[in-house]
Amino acid sequence: MDLTDIRARIDEIDDGILSLFCERMGLASAVAEAKRGSGRAVFDPARERDKLARAAAAAPGELEPYVTSLFSLLMSMNKAEQQKVMRAGDPEAPSAVARASYLDVDSPFPTTATVACQGVEGAYSQIAACRLFRVPSITYFSTFEGVFRAVRDGFCDYGVVPIENSSAGSVNAVYDLLAQYRFSIVRSLRLKIDHQLLAKPGTRLADITEVHSHEQAVAQCAGFLERLGCRVRVAPNTAMAAELVARSDRRDVAALSSRACAGLYGLDVLESDVQDTDHNYTRFIVISSQPQVFPGATRTSLMLTVNHEPGSLYRVLERFYALDVNLVKLESRPIPGRDFEFMFYFDLDCPAGSRPLDVLLDALDDVCERCTYFGTYTEVV
């Protein structure tokens, strides 16, 4: 057979595969109805293991891994379709609950609001809040939990908190608070971070023996600090570090902080842009106690707790793949009180109102212990 004949035969086989695949997926409705009538779960691990074992045994040895992957994906897509059928018309279905938080197209993101931030004036959270809201009324709190409590208690409409940095990684305390409070994320921002070394007027770089800043800023400037060869003191916030230096009687201390803090606290910039990489961005999120999905939202965040058994995370990832959902971030955090067990945070490129998002939200129950939908939102860059 020449190449033309081979390709023609492949096309014939593919047509047959497509026809059988459509027929197989069409049976999902009948399977779902039968399971609903008998009260059985969509995921039947014993039958799935048996199916995969029989497929692997029937395949030629060199094709066994491919056959197993193919049938595993087929069953994942079929289970997703069954979940969709079983959830249809259910007002308590995850997709229906999520859609209830969608706002009308004439409900743009607010330009003014009461906003809670951690730190003091000049903090990067304040800079982020002023980028996210045109005229925010900002109240400052000393801790991230203070921000969450202010939103929970209705003292502020929204909170703005950092969640990850491109070089120093995730802000674990914020992830843990998201799990605890189960707030919604309604917007996010990628903010370019440039750290300055600030000190009292007249101070020389050679005079500095101690530098204060937040632990993330310290991590982002680790190389510079090593070359400087001074003590490092961790502060609750970069702006609070600048405020501490301004109030100190010592002239051998400095702060890693924003340029805005130099003017705010009467400090000089001894060294500019001292972060180790120029590609230094921090993602900030806007949290709300009430679910709100504003028009044009394209990024979705979820938290999943999976069973503590082999393959449990794989089944979740397989479901994303089956629905052609792009995963842009995966973060794990320990589950309090459960040794060596983890919850997982996912950021997905999955727009509000899209069919893949609806099917995904309704198709995760059988592959995880618990799923929390944090919202779908726009990321400002």
Side-chain angles (χ1 to χ4, degrees), residues 290-363:
Q290 300 298 319
Q292 296 175 310
V293 178
F294 291 92
T298 58
R299 186 164 182 153
T300 296
S301 291
L302 304 170
M303 179 185 74
L304 274 67
T305 304
V306 299
N307 295 322
H308 187 47
E309 61 186 30
S312 55
L313 179 59
Y314 169 76
R315 285 194 289 270
V316 173
L317 297 176
E318 184 183 56
R319 194 61 50 86
F320 293 158
Y321 178 69
L323 292 170
D324 195 27
V325 173
N326 185 34
L327 176 64
V328 295
K329 182 177 174 62
L330 169 58
E331 180 81 16
S332 65
R333 292 292 298 149
I335 300 175
R338 294 168 63 174
D339 293 341
F340 304 107
E341 294 190 42
F342 298 86
M343 61 185 74
F344 297 90
Y345 295 86
F346 299 87
D347 283 352
L348 313 170
D349 183 13
C350 206
S354 63
R355 182 180 180 277
L357 179 58
D358 285 348
V359 175
L360 178 67
L361 291 177
D362 290 343

Side-chain angles (χ1 to χ4, degrees), residues 134-175:
R134 187 177 300 168
V135 189
S137 176
I138 300 176
T139 301
Y140 296 100
F141 298 85
S142 59
T143 64
F144 291 135
E145 182 150 24
V147 172
F148 277 75
R149 286 176 177 171
V151 176
R152 179 198 65 188
D153 297 340
F155 185 76
C156 292
D157 300 324
Y158 301 101
V160 173
V161 289
I163 196 166
E164 65 175 314
N165 176 265
S166 57
S167 58
S170 300
V171 183
N172 292 331
V174 171
Y175 274 107

Side-chain angles (χ1 to χ4, degrees), residues 205-236:
L205 185 62
D207 299 331
I208 301 302
T209 63
E210 189 171 286
V211 174
H212 295 253
S213 196
H214 186 267
E215 60 183 352
Q216 284 269 328
V218 170
Q220 293 160 28
C221 304
F224 169 78
L225 291 170
E226 184 178 356
R227 292 191 298 273
L228 194 60
C230 60
R231 293 187 302 273
V232 175
R233 304 295 188 194
V234 173

Side-chain angles (χ1 to χ4, degrees), residues 28-193:
S29 296
V31 173
E33 291 296 339
K35 287 182 177 179
R36 180 157 52 186
S38 63
R40 295 174 63 183
V42 167
F43 180 43
D44 185 342
R47 173 169 168 76
E48 185 164 312
R49 287 194 303 270
D50 180 61
K51 287 279 293 182
L52 290 176
R54 285 194 288 115
E62 70 276 9
L63 295 182
E64 180 182 327
Y66 304 118
V67 169
T68 302
S69 296
L70 173 62
F71 275 83
S72 180
L73 182 60
L74 282 172
M75 286 186 284
S76 182
M77 288 186 283
N78 195 271
K79 285 181 292 186
E81 188 69 13
Q82 289 180 44
Q83 290 278 28
K84 184 189 73 172
V85 171
M86 294 179 75
R87 294 284 195 175
D90 179 6
E92 301 300 319
S95 63
V97 173
R99 280 185 172 272
S101 64
Y102 291 6
L103 300 179
D104 294 336
V105 292
D106 57 352
S107 300
F109 191 75
T111 56
T112 62
T114 56
V115 179
C117 291
Q118 187 261 349
V120 293
E121 189 73 15
Y124 288 109
S125 291
Q126 174 257 308
I127 297 170
C130 291
R131 283 276 305 275
L132 289 156
F133 300 90
R134 187 177 300 168
V135 189
S137 176
I138 300 176
T139 301
Y140 296 100
F141 298 85
S142 59
T143 64
F144 291 135
E145 182 150 24
V147 172
F148 277 75
R149 286 176 177 171
V151 176
R152 179 198 65 188
D153 297 340
F155 185 76
C156 292
D157 300 324
Y158 301 101
V160 173
V161 289
I163 196 166
E164 65 175 314
N165 176 265
S166 57
S167 58
S170 300
V171 183
N172 292 331
V174 171
Y175 274 107
D176 292 342
L177 287 166
L178 277 173
Q180 178 183 342
Y181 284 82
R182 300 185 185 275
F183 283 171
S184 290
I185 301 173
V186 298
R187 185 146 293 206
S188 67
L189 166 73
R190 271 188 289 165
L191 181 69
K192 179 76 160 59
I193 303 295

